[in-house]
Amino acid sequence: MELHSLQEALKVEIQCHQKLIAQMKQDPQNGDLKKQIHERQSRIAALNEKQVRNRSIQFCLLFLVCTMHFLNIRKVSVLAEKYEQQGI
């Protein structure tokens, strides 16, 4: 699941959780509401974990791309110096 989709799903789960909490204030002894709240909390935690993993992967990929870019620039610089020394 892409990051934007994860964030949207997380937003929906949090909104539903907030509505359940509001209902729970009206009926604190409602076992069904307690169960639904617990289920939403589990979904929120799972989605949050996926979001964290997704961001970590994106960061690693970005770091890899930047490193490769730096190494290619460095390689070109070394070749340029070599050719300059040879008078090419």
Side-chain angles (χ1 to χ4, degrees):
M1 191 180 271
E2 71 174 72
L3 186 58
H4 180 71
S5 298
L6 283 170
Q7 290 172 336
E8 284 300 314
L10 192 54
K11 179 181 170 183
V12 169
E13 290 296 332
I14 290 170
Q15 288 171 342
C16 290
H17 181 266
Q18 289 171 335
K19 289 176 185 175
L20 290 169
I21 293 296
Q23 290 175 7
M24 190 71 170
K25 288 180 182 178
Q26 301 298 318
D27 187 6
Q29 301 303 317
N30 189 325
D32 186 49
L33 285 176
K34 289 179 183 179
K35 181 180 175 187
Q36 289 179 48
I37 288 170
H38 181 70
E39 289 171 358
R40 292 286 175 183
Q41 289 170 338
S42 295
R43 289 184 202 152
I44 289 168
L47 286 169
N48 185 54
E49 181 61 32
K50 285 181 184 178
Q51 180 178 261
V52 168
R53 276 187 268 136
N54 193 305
R55 284 187 176 176
S56 295
I57 290 169
Q58 286 182 337
F59 177 76
C60 288
L61 290 173
L62 177 63
F63 179 76
L64 179 62
V65 167
C66 290
T67 302
M68 290 173 63
H69 182 71
F70 173 77
L71 291 175
N72 284 333
I73 289 172
R74 185 71 188 132
K75 185 177 179 182
V76 169
S77 295
V78 169
L79 286 174
E81 287 176 19
K82 181 180 174 183
Y83 290 142
E84 187 177 312
Q85 289 172 354
Q86 294 176 357
I88 298 176

